Amino acid sequence: MKTSIALLTLLCAASLGAQQPLVGYTPAGAARERDLESAAIKQPSPTTAAANSKELSRETHVAGTPAQARTRDYVIAQMKSWGLETEVRAYDIWMPHPTSVRVARVSPDPKQFAVAEPPIKGDPTSALAQYPTVNGYSGQGDTTADVVYVNYGLIEDYAQLDSMGISVRGKIAIARYGRSFRGIKAREAEKHGAAALLIYSDPQDDGFVVGDVYPDGPMRNSSGVQRGSILNPDGDPSTPGYGSTVGVPRLTPDRMEISHIPVVPISYGNAAELLKYIRGSGAPRGWQGGLAFHYHVGPGPVRARVAVSDDRANKPLKPIFDTFGIVRGSEFPNELVIIGGHRDGWGPGTADNVSGTVSVLEAARAVAEEVKAGARPKRTIIFATWDAEEWGLIGSTEFVEDDSLRLSREAVAYLNQDVAAQGSRFGGGGSPALRPMLRDVARSVPDPNGKGSVYAEWRRAAAVADSAEPAMGDPGGGSDFAGFYNHLGIPIAEWGFGGQGGVYHSQYDDYAWMTKFGDPGFLYHATAGRIATAMVLRLANADVLPYDYVEFARTMRRYLQPIEKSVADRHWSVSTTSLRGAIDHLEREAASFAVARDSVLATGPTRATLAHTNQALMQVERALTRPEGLRTRPWFRSLIYVADENNGYANMPLPSVNEAIRANDERLAKTEVDDLTARFERAAQAVADAKAALRGR
Ligand SMILES: [Zn+2]
């Protein structure tokens, strides 16, 4: 029933975007591309998406396990069956797996907690073997101590504890999930001397306070556990900045940037058994969660025991496998359009990230069909699945580090699919240079429920004013685009369909949950795959790469305002006039380039002209990276966005300058403003070079 509605809307879809000119195409090329895309986006289907989802979700497939090697084989076999050239890259990663975990209340009333997630009736994979409830890269240890409640475990929460005269030194800290990346919670707990950290999912965050809990509803039940890595740097911690290939030198564990205390995620059912016995100070304002008693901070009198051991002494290195399906380009084979999603999970992982893998597979199948029908893309398209993303973006990071020279030279764009479908609410983001193209593609793909295009439904849900566009996300970090964007300055985009859910990193993120709550008809899986199909084809076939540096410059100018205010508030003698001027310069060059591009495309430029133009365009965002990286984190070379080092999830734009302001360092701020100005001038020059190339100069 739902499928036939989807087909009907698909037939109307061709008219949705037909009037829009296609940026970066000659008039004839645009017509061909519209036809090609409207044929290709019919290929992804809810039926194949559901079949692949079921197969890839059949068991827990954590990186480094035999089950995860089976997903590699499945993906490669699928891609081969569609006629794609394939490749597997293996890396050995320092990645200890837990061998045991125990959490107990020692007093009052001793109680050993059941830490695993129990089976649910009607949900077959919930009864299968599951991964231990230990955070990835937890330290080992066996600690018995008083418990202290630290709210979210943020830097400001510890400051509040200090002001109350409460220390976690030698204690077991218990923090709730939310407001920061769990790696930051672990780092702060260890910094303040905690002997162990428990992180629990408060029902206010994604449990019964929000909605009905699984299996009656999509939210987290009292036994649900959010696993997840606490590694703060990206990639294998034993090979920082270079690929984990055979024979490379490795740091010993004492020199790695990893946690040294046990860090264990628990359910709110178990957390309640500790929290309700804590006394001492009542919870400060804002620290009360959703459990049905008043929270206290402690320390104690409740005592707990946390014990974790792993296999680091015997078998710390695990093999991981990235897979690639490759379609060689007919005209510009050395220009690469890459789309990828991570293939590993913490459980069956139907949403995170079988859904992203399925979207990549659907696009690969669609493009393979078009190639068989004779429509080979002009550029090379690479369909990747990454391993060990969940441990710290490891598979994609090792690949990027391993192949950085080629990628810096040849990658046109990276498109990321992480949780592509677990609801119906569209969201997208990435480099501002690719946002207009993503919006345009969203205009050409029908919404699965027949409400016009994905774009129209997105606008309706976002309730934006007529002239405004729906908000889009910035690439700060947190998924596989980081190596491409934050390390190398390759433009990226990402999108997906979200919804309400409380099974993130739980055994219950599985096929039964997805078919009941997330995406019952797999329509949104197929739609994510349709967007993926159109995105890779649009980028691969463009005569002139469809980056929009006008939108990019305008976005950057918005981020300049808070910097100017900070500088003024501090009465610093730091002038941002030239930085503003450089961003204005980039916008002027980009606007004038767009006019020149459209007039040259109308006259039929030569292949050499296009090649030179595109080579220059590819340098724009590369120019906004700095080889020596940020002062705080040299791996992060992009000066446009980074994940906030004090939060891990929050995004910080123009980080070289903003980190200097945060450090309250006037001289550094001046140096960084000057440095960033020079780089924006170089980016503007790259656009000017592209314009000159268009005119054959
Ligand atoms: Zn994910």
Side-chain angles (χ1 to χ4, degrees):
M1 182 67 183
K2 277 179 173 163
T3 309
S4 61
I5 292 170
L7 280 176
L8 207 67
T9 51
L10 205 55
L11 296 173
C12 315
S15 62
L16 290 173
Q19 271 74 28
Q20 300 274 343
L22 212 45
V23 172
Y25 282 79
T26 62
R32 260 199 316 274
E33 178 66 15
R34 287 287 186 201
D35 287 350
L36 173 69
E37 285 181 20
S38 67
I41 66 170
K42 292 190 179 71
Q43 291 287 344
S45 92
T47 312
T48 51
N52 283 327
S53 173
K54 189 164 191 189
E55 185 56 37
L56 287 164
S57 306
R58 61 185 298 169
E59 57 186 342
T60 291
H61 50 281
V62 173
T65 65
Q68 176 61 349
R70 287 192 280 278
T71 68
R72 168 202 63 197
D73 295 343
Y74 179 77
V75 164
I76 289 288
Q78 290 284 299
M79 291 200 174
K80 277 199 159 87
S81 76
W82 305 323
L84 294 181
E85 189 185 324
T86 62
E87 187 182 328
V88 173
R89 288 209 192 178
Y91 300 99
D92 283 331
I93 305 301
W94 193 88
M95 187 166 60
H97 281 180
T99 48
S100 81
V101 53
R102 286 160 166 272
V103 181
R105 186 174 65 213
V106 175
S107 74
D109 189 14
K111 180 179 183 185
Q112 185 76 43
F113 295 152
V115 291
E117 303 180 88
I120 302 266
K121 210 167 153 263
D123 178 345
T125 57
S126 70
L128 300 180
Q130 55 183 269
Y131 191 78
T133 53
V134 177
N135 288 104
Y137 289 105
S138 162
Q140 298 188 93
D142 187 342
T143 291
T144 299
D146 285 354
V147 180
V148 181
Y149 174 57
V150 299
N151 196 25
Y152 292 102
L154 310 175
I155 290 173
E156 52 267 38
D157 293 331
Y158 286 98
Q160 168 96 37
L161 288 170
D162 282 349
S163 74
M164 296 161 73
I166 295 166
S167 166
V168 297
R169 190 156 297 278
K171 307 283 194 287
I172 295 173
I174 181 166
R176 47 177 165 160
Y177 270 118
R179 307 263 172 101
S180 70
F181 172 56
R182 64 185 90 71
I184 306 290
K185 298 180 196 287
R187 184 187 76 194
E188 293 303 312
E190 184 171 333
K191 198 187 275 178
H192 289 86
L197 172 66
L198 296 169
I199 315 178
Y200 80 102
S201 302
D202 197 281
Q204 204 172 57
D205 186 32
D206 61 1
F208 62 74
V209 175
V210 184
D212 286 328
V213 301
Y214 193 62
D216 300 323
M219 304 312 294
R220 198 176 302 269
N221 63 36
S222 64
S223 310
V225 178
Q226 180 193 138
R227 293 164 188 76
S229 178
I230 54 169
L231 186 68
N232 286 311
D234 291 344
D236 184 339
S238 74
T239 63
Y242 55 95
S244 293
T245 50
V246 179
V248 295
R250 287 177 189 271
L251 299 183
T252 49
D254 55 306
R255 300 191 49 211
M256 294 179 205
E257 195 181 333
I258 52 173
S259 178
H260 302 93
I261 60 172
V263 181
V264 175
I266 60 173
S267 65
Y268 58 77
N270 285 334
E273 291 297 313
L274 296 173
L275 290 171
K276 72 181 169 200
Y277 295 100
I278 297 182
R279 286 297 173 267
S281 306
R285 180 199 288 272
W287 286 37
Q288 176 69 34
L291 292 165
F293 47 80
H294 188 67
Y295 289 32
H296 292 76
V297 174
V302 61
R303 288 175 71 75
R305 179 182 172 201
V306 178
V308 170
S309 52
D310 63 38
D311 62 3
R312 75 183 62 195
N314 315 311
K315 198 178 162 281
L317 294 186
K318 310 280 189 304
I320 66 162
F321 306 96
D322 295 336
T323 74
F324 304 91
I326 303 149
V327 174
R328 304 266 166 196
S330 59
E331 284 189 38
F332 307 106
N334 292 333
E335 291 180 11
L336 313 176
V337 176
I338 307 165
I339 182 167
H342 71 88
R343 207 180 68 252
D344 66 315
W346 289 110
T350 310
D352 187 9
N353 184 34
V354 168
S355 69
T357 304
V358 165
S359 172
V360 172
L361 286 173
E362 287 298 305
R365 191 170 60 81
V367 171
E369 286 300 324
E370 296 304 325
V371 171
K372 274 185 225 162
R376 181 169 288 276
K378 291 181 184 171
R379 295 186 178 81
T380 294
I381 304 177
I382 299 178
F383 299 93
T385 75
W386 312 114
D387 206 345
E389 186 271 355
E390 293 293 3
W391 290 76
L393 322 182
I394 292 177
S396 58
T397 299
E398 296 310 314
F399 169 70
V400 164
E401 290 175 349
D402 186 19
D403 224 347
S404 60
L405 296 179
R406 179 174 72 131
L407 292 169
S408 290
R409 208 169 48 234
E410 300 183 352
V412 161
Y414 172 69
L415 310 175
N416 195 51
Q417 289 288 266
D418 192 356
V419 190
Q422 63 163 5
S424 59
R425 218 176 42 238
F426 181 78
S431 164
L434 288 178
R435 291 178 191 178
M437 190 186 103
L438 179 55
R439 287 196 296 265
D440 192 51
V441 164
R443 278 186 202 101
S444 72
V445 173
D447 175 75
N449 283 324
K451 297 174 188 156
S453 67
V454 168
Y455 177 80
E457 182 55 16
W458 180 23
R459 279 197 70 103
R460 197 195 59 76
V464 288
D466 277 356
S467 58
E469 295 290 359
M472 294 173 91
D474 296 326
S479 191
D480 291 307
F481 58 77
F484 295 89
Y485 197 79
N486 305 114
H487 192 50
L488 296 183
I490 295 161
I492 71 112
E494 56 175 348
W495 61 91
F497 292 91
Q500 228 184 29
V503 294
Y504 174 59
H505 291 182
S506 155
Q507 184 70 15
Y508 308 138
D509 175 3
D510 61 13
Y511 193 76
W513 181 90
M514 185 62 79
T515 51
K516 210 168 165 192
F517 301 110
D519 185 15
F522 286 84
L523 297 172
Y524 291 91
H525 280 70
T527 303
R530 286 177 185 138
I531 295 169
T533 304
M535 287 290 288
V536 295
L537 289 173
R538 185 84 55 96
L539 282 161
N541 289 325
D543 297 299
V544 175
L545 291 168
Y547 306 132
D548 188 329
Y549 286 107
V550 173
E551 177 149 342
F552 187 97
R554 287 180 182 165
T555 307
M556 293 307 118
R557 197 178 302 115
R558 277 206 299 281
Y559 291 133
L560 195 55
Q561 283 160 9
I563 289 175
E564 288 168 339
K565 183 173 184 315
S566 298
V567 166
D569 288 351
R570 287 168 172 76
H571 306 291
W572 282 356
S573 64
V574 175
S575 169
T576 51
T577 310
S578 56
L579 178 54
R580 178 170 284 271
I583 294 171
D584 291 348
H585 185 196
L586 174 62
E587 184 184 349
R588 276 198 314 277
E589 288 294 351
S592 128
F593 170 80
V595 172
R597 173 196 62 204
D598 294 347
S599 78
V600 169
L601 283 171
T603 65
T606 68
R607 193 170 168 284
T609 295
L610 295 173
H612 292 146
T613 303
N614 290 329
Q615 283 306 317
L617 282 177
M618 282 167 69
Q619 297 314 311
V620 180
E621 262 160 288
R622 311 293 205 271
L624 295 164
T625 63
R626 180 162 71 188
E628 62 273 33
L630 292 176
R631 273 157 229 274
T632 52
R633 289 164 289 173
W635 188 83
F636 291 85
R637 295 178 182 165
S638 167
L639 303 185
I640 299 306
Y641 295 111
V642 78
D644 187 327
E645 70 163 342
N646 289 338
N647 183 283
Y649 282 154
N651 190 74
M652 182 186 263
L654 306 181
S656 55
V657 174
N658 273 313
E659 288 190 339
I661 291 171
R662 182 185 278 178
N664 223 1
D665 188 334
E666 180 176 0
R667 267 185 53 185
L668 181 60
K670 187 173 174 347
T671 310
E672 291 291 21
V673 165
D674 292 347
D675 175 87
L676 190 59
T677 303
R679 290 175 203 281
F680 268 104
E681 287 295 352
R682 227 169 293 160
Q685 185 56 48
V687 178
D689 292 348
K691 192 171 74 180
L694 268 181
R695 293 173 176 153
R697 275 177 289 198

